[in-house]
Amino acid sequence: MRDEIRARVQFEARPFALEKPDGPANDVIVCRNVLIYLDREACDEAIRLFSARLKAGGYLLLGPSDVLAASVTPLTMVRLSHDVAYRK
Ligand SMILES: C[S@@+](CC[C@H](N)C(=O)[O-])C[C@H]1O[C@@H](n2cnc3c(N)ncnc32)[C@H](O)[C@@H]1O
């Protein structure tokens, strides 16, 4: 990430299992290579949480193996130049 962009970004690492849907909303949530370890119910719950915690127009970035696990997402899949993301 370029320095002028990085200077405007607040990064936080948060354990999503402890998060609530009504917490602060985010522009981007990155959760890579984690959903693949969850059962379907926990995965759906995580996706609902991420969706609730994204601002309108915000992006959820998953790992390559997480994409299928998130097939029930209420978010919209968008293709980036080298990846796939989900947009609220
Ligand atoms: C393959 S690592 C991915 C780490 C990092 N996100 C990355 O892409 O380099 C899988 C991560 O999933 C986390 N994890 C596994 N089961 C989990 C669960 N039930 N709830 C929350 N995190 C879990 C593990 O703690 C581990 O950090």
Side-chain angles (χ1 to χ4, degrees), residues 39-77:
D39 64 23
R40 180 49 139 221
E41 188 179 340
C43 182
D44 289 352
E45 191 175 327
I47 294 295
R48 280 194 293 274
L49 171 69
F50 297 152
S51 179
R53 294 287 295 273
L54 276 176
K55 294 179 185 175
Y59 287 93
L60 171 63
L61 306 180
L62 300 176
S65 54
D66 295 319
V67 173
L68 286 181
S71 59
V72 296
T73 177
L75 306 172
T76 302
M77 190 173 82

Side-chain angles (χ1 to χ4, degrees), residues 16-17 32-34 37-38:
F16 69 81
R32 295 182 71 88
N33 308 316
V34 176
Y37 295 100
L38 307 182

Side-chain angles (χ1 to χ4, degrees), residues 23-36:
N26 303 273
D27 295 302
V28 179
I29 296 175
V30 182
C31 183
R32 295 182 71 88
N33 308 316
V34 176
L35 298 183
I36 193 75

